[in-house]
Amino acid sequence: MTSSGPIEIVATRGGAVESRHRVHAVVAGPDGDLVSVHGEAGLVAFPRSSLKALQALPFVETGAADRFACSPAELALACASHEGEDMHADAVSAWLARMGLDPSALACGPQWPRREADMARMIREGRQPGRVHNNCSGKHAGMLATALHMGEPIEGYAGREHPVQRRVFDAVSAMTGMDLSGAPVGIDGCSAPNPALPLGVMAVAAARFAEADPARLGDVRAAACRRLQAAMADAPEMVGGTDRVDTDLIRAFAGRVFSKTGAEGVYFIYMTEKRLGAVLKAEDGAPRASAAAVWNILAELGLLDGEAEAALRRHCRPEIRNWDGLVTGRVAEASEV
Amino acid sequence: MTSSGPIEIVATRGGAVESRHRVHAVVAGPDGDLVSVHGEAGLVAFPRSSLKALQALPFVETGAADRFACSPAELALACASHEGEDMHADAVSAWLARMGLDPSALACGPQWPRREADMARMIREGRQPGRVHNNCSGKHAGMLATALHMGEPIEGYAGREHPVQRRVFDAVSAMTGMDLSGAPVGIDGCSAPNPALPLGVMAVAAARFAEADPARLGDVRAAACRRLQAAMADAPEMVGGTDRVDTDLIRAFAGRVFSKTGAEGVYFIYMTEKRLGAVLKAEDGAPRASAAAVWNILAELGLLDGEAEAALRRHCRPEIRNWDGLVTGRVAEASEV
């Protein structure tokens, strides 16, 4: 195992460092072995939306995804933090309708589309954002599908003690190998519960999801992991959206590597070929810092080949532009400045 | 002098710490004495928009403000990072028109109003944001006024070597007592140049602006400091806008304390009665962290009385709410959690 301090990411202006970030990152294997640690492997953090692929496991494992004949795009949406583009909102609406539900069943609150052009178009058309536009609406549709399939009340499905969430927490507990009964539980941006976990524990869970080994996880769970991976590889535009890190990364790696961002500067990286997982957390919660550190982790593991580098440079080593479009600085690892 | 480590600000979720920030802060007097230091007084940072009151000094000192019969609201706008509300955009447009200019003379780029409701209204009305909506348009109007008054070309007025900017840099150099010829210069969000300076040096300059002593600064500069202070106290809504820290702080203190935020987590605080200045910089650039630390500095100096506390709590100790309006956490100093 290699270890170092946190990955130092800086934002520059006029060639000088303007702001500094520290990103803790852990790369681990499925046996619980830590491959590399930057900063503190024991740092407890909320995975937020980075956890979504694991949270989607019961939706597949219970048979709910099959019951409602869910497409790869819908499975990808269950793992997504989408941008609320029409393709996302329309897909979630259609999926809900097929289950006999309307968007009012979603516990996630209304959220404007992330991209200014989409938001502006809705405003011009006199529309308000709906719950389907919430970046987590696909995850919630998957949770509703699970409740319906299992004959559980859909009311209160986002509550920690509802069977749907208990099943999600059990899956996370099994994948991490950690008893979650004492873990802090936060309420996410979409009102679903989210456990805080040490980075090292999350990285091992990510490796197990990436490996998807029936001998380790059992046939049903291993198949669910592979099916969710295949869905994300098939419909990467549903995992994020236009001009998003996760979408561009998944597309560039074509099934060999997956990533999932979470609020407050978190990333999960699933490396299927290498059977490794990585978790990153910007100490201060800055998304620009965690996105930049994804580049470092991929490079460290020899994964930053030409195609990935081309796809990710604008996300991970972005220029900073001002209101008139002038380049005023950049985001980089500290040693690059 | 008291000294400590950086002020530690945290964002919580579900009662646990989710993200951590370090805010460096220096309180100084006009003689160059440091009253209190949190973190590194020597940390070099770009003051960004926090510098605006000092950048506005030549606009008053040259007689440009009198030449164009500028109102207190216009003087306040010259010191402002406004929200692009109608009151701001209309005031800057009228001011430019009185000088025979239209908004295309502004070097600052077009920027949507900060508040969603203002932006949505403009979109519904089929309007695009203009340069007058840029949060710095008042500063730029003051710079244009200076160029016109001094008979200098308005073309290129935002360039570092234009007489307008040379005069601004000279004023900052005199107020800080620091030769700026070797200082890093960044291009600001509004395309104007901005020097990077040590926090301690900036805090002393802030104290000198607050003190406004003719014996120290000369009659003209001291009068300019007082006139800008009076203007900000008279029209605090022009310094920031609806629901902004600076506006609410200036209003609560009624001329005894002024603050000015800057991008990437910077604050200047001018304490006129106490003849002190303070500068804060969130190491990672997070505005939520620097706003929270303003509360600590005011408390440390015995300034957080009932009225100020009531006005500032929602800015400096905010609840964090999700898309459905649920409170999911809060921002606080680490020891409060």
Side-chain angles (χ1 to χ4, degrees):
Chain A
M1 186 190 93
T2 64
S3 72
S4 73
I7 299 169
E8 285 194 57
I9 302 296
V10 297
T12 71
R13 182 168 299 269
V17 169
E18 177 160 35
S19 298
R20 294 180 178 277
H21 306 276
R22 300 191 295 184
V23 183
H24 300 261
V26 181
V27 181
D31 291 323
D33 48 312
L34 302 187
V35 175
S36 96
V37 175
H38 301 267
E40 301 168 37
L43 183 72
V44 173
F46 289 101
R48 307 293 300 275
S49 288
S50 292
L51 195 64
K52 277 175 178 159
L54 301 188
Q55 288 174 302
L57 287 171
F59 158 58
V60 178
E61 294 167 3
T62 56
D66 285 329
R67 161 79 167 276
F68 295 106
C70 289
S71 65
E74 287 164 347
L75 288 163
L77 280 166
C79 303
S81 296
H82 64 70
E83 306 211 84
E85 297 176 66
D86 281 351
M87 63 177 169
H88 305 120
D90 292 349
V92 173
S93 293
W95 176 8
L96 290 172
R98 215 169 65 237
M99 298 192 294
L101 299 175
D102 72 46
S104 66
L106 296 168
C108 51
Q111 178 182 3
W112 284 108
R114 184 182 170 98
R115 298 191 315 153
E116 187 184 293
D118 293 326
M119 179 185 176
R121 189 167 40 77
M122 284 187 68
I123 293 171
R124 279 196 304 272
E125 294 168 357
R127 296 159 63 198
Q128 286 292 317
R131 293 174 183 268
V132 290
H133 295 95
N134 186 296
N135 76 88
C136 303
S137 65
K139 176 180 82 175
H140 282 260
M143 290 172 171
L144 283 165
T146 309
L148 288 174
H149 175 61
M150 300 301 288
E152 293 156 1
I154 63 167
E155 185 138 345
Y157 75 87
R160 171 68 185 89
E161 296 308 321
H162 188 283
V164 163
Q165 299 303 334
R166 287 215 306 268
R167 210 177 279 114
V168 167
F169 271 61
D170 286 348
V172 172
S173 178
M175 292 293 281
T176 56
M178 188 169 152
D179 174 11
L180 299 183
S181 59
V185 176
I187 300 302
D188 219 329
C190 65
S191 298
N194 197 259
L197 297 161
L199 296 187
V201 166
M202 292 193 273
V204 171
R208 290 173 179 161
F209 181 91
E211 183 194 41
D213 181 1
R216 189 187 303 276
L217 304 179
D219 288 344
V220 171
R221 176 148 295 163
C225 293
R226 287 186 189 277
R227 187 164 167 193
L228 290 170
Q229 291 170 18
M232 289 190 280
D234 191 65
E237 71 282 2
M238 289 296 174
V239 180
T242 306
D243 199 29
R244 282 295 288 277
V245 180
D246 293 329
T247 294
D248 290 351
L249 184 149
I250 293 169
R251 190 171 282 143
F253 282 109
R256 293 181 299 129
V257 183
F258 298 86
S259 73
K260 183 65 196 71
T261 185
E264 293 284 331
V266 185
Y267 271 90
F268 273 33
I269 307 176
Y270 305 102
M271 291 159 276
T272 53
E273 267 187 6
K274 288 186 179 284
R275 302 184 176 195
L276 294 174
V279 172
L280 297 84
K281 163 72 183 174
E283 194 174 285
D284 55 57
R288 69 181 179 192
S290 50
V294 165
W295 179 276
N296 292 58
I297 294 298
L298 294 175
E300 172 181 301
L301 295 171
L303 287 165
L304 203 58
D305 55 18
E307 187 177 356
E309 184 172 336
L312 294 175
R313 179 171 291 279
R314 69 205 167 104
H315 297 297
C316 301
R317 289 294 183 270
E319 292 174 334
I320 298 172
R321 289 177 182 272
N322 76 5
W323 293 110
D324 220 17
L326 298 177
V327 175
T328 57
R330 63 193 182 107
V331 177
E333 202 263 312
S335 68
E336 297 166 9
V337 173
Chain B
M1 185 190 92
T2 64
S3 71
S4 74
I7 299 169
E8 286 194 57
I9 302 296
V10 297
T12 71
R13 183 170 299 270
V17 170
E18 178 160 36
S19 298
R20 292 180 178 277
H21 306 276
R22 300 191 296 183
V23 182
H24 300 260
V26 181
V27 182
D31 290 323
D33 48 313
L34 303 187
V35 175
S36 95
V37 174
H38 301 268
E40 302 168 37
L43 183 72
V44 173
F46 289 100
R48 308 291 302 274
S49 288
S50 293
L51 195 64
K52 276 175 179 160
L54 302 187
Q55 288 174 303
L57 287 171
F59 158 57
V60 178
E61 294 167 3
T62 56
D66 285 330
R67 161 79 165 275
F68 294 105
C70 289
S71 65
E74 287 164 345
L75 289 163
L77 280 166
C79 303
S81 296
H82 63 71
E83 307 210 84
E85 297 176 65
D86 281 350
M87 65 178 168
H88 305 120
D90 292 349
V92 173
S93 294
W95 177 8
L96 290 172
R98 215 170 62 237
M99 299 193 292
L101 299 175
D102 72 45
S104 66
L106 295 168
C108 51
Q111 178 182 3
W112 285 108
R114 185 182 169 99
R115 298 190 315 152
E116 186 184 293
D118 293 325
M119 178 184 176
R121 189 166 40 76
M122 284 186 68
I123 292 171
R124 279 197 304 272
E125 294 168 358
R127 295 160 64 198
Q128 286 292 317
R131 292 174 184 267
V132 291
H133 295 96
N134 186 296
N135 76 88
C136 303
S137 66
K139 176 180 82 175
H140 281 260
M143 290 173 171
L144 283 165
T146 308
L148 287 175
H149 175 61
M150 299 301 287
E152 293 157 1
I154 62 167
E155 186 139 343
Y157 76 87
R160 170 67 186 90
E161 294 309 321
H162 188 282
V164 163
Q165 299 303 333
R166 288 215 306 270
R167 210 176 279 115
V168 167
F169 272 60
D170 287 348
V172 173
S173 178
M175 293 294 281
T176 56
M178 189 170 152
D179 174 12
L180 298 184
S181 59
V185 175
I187 301 302
D188 219 328
C190 66
S191 298
N194 197 260
L197 297 162
L199 296 187
V201 167
M202 292 194 273
V204 171
R208 290 172 180 162
F209 181 91
E211 183 194 41
D213 180 0
R216 188 186 304 277
L217 304 179
D219 289 343
V220 172
R221 176 148 296 163
C225 293
R226 287 185 189 278
R227 188 165 166 192
L228 290 170
Q229 290 170 19
M232 289 190 280
D234 192 64
E237 72 282 2
M238 290 296 173
V239 180
T242 306
D243 199 27
R244 281 295 287 278
V245 179
D246 293 329
T247 293
D248 289 352
L249 184 150
I250 294 170
R251 191 172 280 141
F253 281 109
R256 292 181 299 128
V257 183
F258 299 86
S259 74
K260 183 68 195 67
T261 186
E264 293 285 331
V266 185
Y267 270 89
F268 275 31
I269 307 175
Y270 305 102
M271 292 160 274
T272 52
E273 266 187 8
K274 289 188 178 281
R275 301 183 177 196
L276 293 175
V279 172
L280 298 84
K281 163 73 183 173
E283 195 174 284
D284 56 56
R288 70 182 178 191
S290 50
V294 164
W295 178 278
N296 293 57
I297 295 297
L298 294 174
E300 173 182 300
L301 296 170
L303 286 165
L304 203 57
D305 54 19
E307 188 177 356
E309 184 171 335
L312 295 176
R313 179 171 292 279
R314 69 205 168 104
H315 297 297
C316 302
R317 290 295 182 271
E319 292 173 334
I320 298 172
R321 290 177 181 272
N322 77 4
W323 293 110
D324 220 18
L326 297 177
V327 175
T328 56
R330 63 192 182 106
V331 177
E333 203 262 313
S335 68
E336 298 166 9
V337 174

